[in-house]
Amino acid sequence: MGLLHAEEAQQETPVLTKALRDTIQERLKLARRYSINVRTTDFNLARRHINRVLQISDSLHLENADYFAAAGDVEDLAFNFERNKPASGGKMDEATALAAAKQCYRYYQKAYDLYQADAKEYGKYGEKQQSRLSQTAMHYYLLTNGFQVNAGQSFKRGDLSTTLDEFRMTFDGSRSQFLRNAYRSDAKRFSGFETFLADSTQNRALYNCATVSSALGMLDQSLIYYDSLKVRGYDPEKVFRNTVAIYSSRKDTVMLITELMSAIETLPRDTWFQRNLLQIYLDRKNWHDAEAVADRCISVDSTDAHTISVRGQLYEIRGDVENALAQYLRSYDLDSTQAKVCSYIGRIHYNRAVELKARLYNLRQFKQMDSELQPIYSMALPWYERAYQYDTMHQDKTIAVAIREILYSRFTQTRCPNRAELIAQYNEVSRAYGFVEFGR
């Protein structure tokens, strides 16, 4: 039984028979005929034959350098045929020419690698082929600006997958031994390649790979590209902002915090990352770490009104009202249009009135209640009125609650000289925040 299975397995293994060898040779001849014979030129048919050769080779687990070189030759001829159309009154199709240049490059690179990997098998012929292929490939690389021209066309078509592939070719080509050998063989002729050896060109190619990968939803791949850019020291602010956006979109708070901390270490003077980390700690009610980040952010930028107001909130959470008020006033001085800060300052005074009112009520000192509360209300009301002015979307209902309470305490007094005016103000605020008006 075991012998039978062995025989079946042996029968399933593809074999390069004479018939297949003849088929390959015939297909190669046909591909060449449809590429170089003026009367029968048909590159689509030539490609069909050469693709069949490559399919047979692949099914037999063969990797023959000559077959890939022949495939590249077809694309090389296709490119030149397209480029020479205007000379005979025709019109060149740039997209078709660029596609042929790109495919020729790829076939030649594969053939080059195979010739080099088995130098003994291919001998002197292989060495000559390597030189020819690498120099022609270099020509196409420079002609297409490292296939960035192809990438631009693919991007315009909305083909992001191909765009990514072509930007990757830009980067890989700049680092490939394949092209570097061609450059060394004729540095003067291929002097344009020096541009692609520069870090700035390679970094831009990698950055394009990262952004296109992200647009395709390939976030893990995008992060790998961004990590490479970090190592290369490319525009850390831009890179970190993009990686932060990726982790944020994933709602991966752990990695988001790690990334923000790494960004802060790399860019200690950039408060954008510090403010984002601060917001995460606030959302998680991690007051201790939030205080540390807020202090660091303020030390870098003492004019950051928002962070200063957040520091005030953190003081207030700890019960340190005096320091909280000092921070709110400092923030207000830097930006007087902050509805929340105005509300926070008003709240500190208003809460003092609330505490005093409760204390007097418990002591049953009703007669002096109004006389002691009104001075504190007078400190709170202007801040709430400013908050009301800047809270144009009327989202903070605590503003309305406080204003209504203060105004009510005034116009319900026996002798109120401006009662109608106070009631009108009371009703205006009530309408704005959806509360019931007085007298309704």
Side-chain angles (χ1 to χ4, degrees):
M1 194 62 146
L3 182 61
L4 181 60
H5 284 312
E7 289 175 352
E8 289 176 352
Q10 189 175 7
Q11 289 174 0
E12 291 173 3
T13 303
V15 177
L16 181 59
T17 62
K18 183 179 183 303
L20 281 177
R21 191 179 292 108
D22 291 344
T23 298
I24 289 173
Q25 292 305 315
E26 181 61 23
R27 295 271 186 177
L28 289 172
K29 289 178 183 177
L30 289 170
R32 186 163 181 77
R33 189 178 85 185
Y34 288 117
S35 300
I36 63 174
N37 192 315
V38 176
R39 295 180 180 178
T40 60
T41 300
D42 186 335
F43 285 102
N44 287 330
L45 197 53
R47 290 185 179 107
R48 194 178 305 168
H49 287 297
I50 205 70
N51 286 337
R52 183 56 186 149
V53 170
L54 296 177
Q55 288 169 3
I56 294 171
S57 176
D58 184 60
S59 69
L60 296 170
H61 306 292
L62 299 174
E63 285 197 311
N64 190 299
D66 292 339
Y67 299 163
F68 285 103
D73 290 344
V74 169
E75 299 299 338
D76 183 35
L77 290 165
F79 171 84
N80 286 290
F81 177 82
E82 194 66 38
R83 187 180 63 174
N84 291 330
K85 278 183 177 179
S88 57
K91 184 178 180 181
M92 182 185 78
D93 185 330
E94 185 182 11
T96 299
L98 288 173
K102 171 184 167 183
Q103 197 58 41
C104 176
Y105 175 90
R106 282 199 150 148
Y107 282 139
Y108 278 174
Q109 184 178 38
K110 181 66 175 178
Y112 180 95
D113 291 341
L114 291 172
Y115 282 129
Q116 193 173 55
D118 200 346
K120 186 176 180 181
E121 170 68 22
Y122 296 105
K124 291 292 183 182
Y125 171 76
E127 290 180 15
K128 290 180 181 179
Q129 282 286 74
Q130 287 178 57
S131 178
R132 177 182 77 88
L133 301 181
S134 63
Q135 291 191 22
T136 306
M138 173 67 89
H139 167 71
Y140 285 128
Y141 188 83
L142 296 178
L143 185 69
T144 59
N145 193 25
F147 302 105
Q148 292 180 100
V149 177
N150 299 57
Q153 287 205 350
S154 298
F155 184 78
K156 286 180 182 178
R157 295 197 307 269
D159 185 354
L160 294 184
S161 181
T162 302
T163 303
L164 172 61
D165 179 57
E166 286 156 347
F167 277 131
R168 182 74 224 190
M169 289 176 71
T170 306
F171 179 73
D172 288 343
S174 68
R175 295 160 60 86
S176 71
Q177 197 64 35
F178 173 52
L179 293 185
R180 286 172 186 257
N181 286 343
Y183 175 63
R184 279 196 291 268
S185 70
D186 196 342
K188 186 176 181 180
R189 177 185 172 198
F190 299 126
S191 59
F193 188 57
E194 293 169 0
T195 301
F196 295 93
L197 298 176
D199 287 343
S200 58
T201 305
Q202 294 179 10
N203 289 341
R204 282 196 300 273
L206 261 185
Y207 183 77
N208 285 329
C209 289
T211 55
V212 176
S213 294
S214 182
L216 285 166
M218 300 164 58
L219 300 184
D220 287 333
Q221 185 62 53
S222 181
L223 288 170
I224 290 172
Y225 287 129
Y226 282 128
D227 284 343
S228 296
L229 287 166
K230 289 176 191 174
V231 173
R232 297 168 69 91
Y234 175 76
D235 201 339
E237 180 187 0
K238 186 188 294 186
V239 169
F240 274 114
R241 283 193 181 226
N242 288 347
T243 55
V244 164
I246 289 175
Y247 288 122
S248 181
S249 69
R250 285 179 159 181
K251 303 188 187 314
D252 188 343
T253 307
V254 174
M255 284 304 302
L256 180 55
I257 290 174
T258 301
E259 194 70 4
L260 285 168
M261 292 177 72
S262 180
I264 291 168
E265 184 178 352
T266 305
L267 301 161
R269 307 298 299 176
D270 192 325
T271 58
W272 185 87
F273 301 102
Q274 297 177 35
R275 289 197 299 270
N276 277 273
L277 182 58
L278 173 60
Q279 188 57 55
I280 292 174
Y281 287 144
L282 292 173
D283 293 341
R284 302 180 85 180
K285 295 182 170 53
N286 186 344
W287 311 130
H288 177 73
D289 286 336
E291 286 180 358
V293 176
D295 287 342
R296 179 173 181 172
C297 188
I298 293 168
S299 71
V300 173
D301 183 2
S302 60
T303 64
D304 186 351
H306 173 71
T307 303
I308 292 170
S309 72
V310 170
R311 191 64 184 92
Q313 293 177 63
L314 293 168
Y315 274 124
E316 197 171 358
I317 288 168
R318 279 200 320 186
D320 189 346
V321 177
E322 292 304 321
N323 269 323
L325 180 58
Q327 294 298 316
Y328 292 147
L329 290 170
R330 181 182 170 192
S331 177
Y332 176 80
D333 288 341
L334 291 167
D335 181 1
S336 61
T337 64
Q338 300 176 89
K340 285 187 176 181
V341 171
C342 293
S343 176
Y344 295 158
I345 297 172
R347 181 182 65 203
I348 286 179
H349 295 303
Y350 180 76
N351 285 345
R352 287 171 175 168
V354 170
E355 292 171 3
L356 176 60
K357 184 177 181 179
R359 186 164 65 253
L360 293 174
Y361 186 86
N362 289 333
L363 295 173
R364 307 188 69 77
Q365 296 177 356
F366 304 118
K367 290 184 179 181
Q368 64 192 80
M369 189 177 291
D370 191 66
S371 62
E372 292 195 29
L373 288 177
Q374 287 306 325
I376 304 177
Y377 280 155
S378 294
M379 296 175 70
L381 184 59
W383 291 106
Y384 276 121
E385 287 174 336
R386 290 189 190 98
Y388 170 60
Q389 177 187 352
Y390 296 123
D391 185 26
T392 55
M393 301 301 292
H394 303 134
Q395 295 178 328
D396 187 355
K397 291 184 179 295
T398 64
I399 296 172
V401 170
I403 292 176
R404 281 161 48 96
E405 172 68 22
I406 294 170
L407 295 178
Y408 184 83
S409 73
R410 292 180 176 178
F411 68 68
T412 53
Q413 292 180 4
T414 305
R415 294 179 181 180
C416 178
N418 57 339
R419 186 170 185 272
E421 180 183 334
L422 294 176
I423 291 175
Q425 185 181 353
Y426 178 99
N427 286 339
E428 177 192 336
V429 173
S430 297
R431 284 193 301 272
Y433 288 89
F435 288 106
V436 177
E437 298 177 44
F438 183 77
R440 294 296 177 92

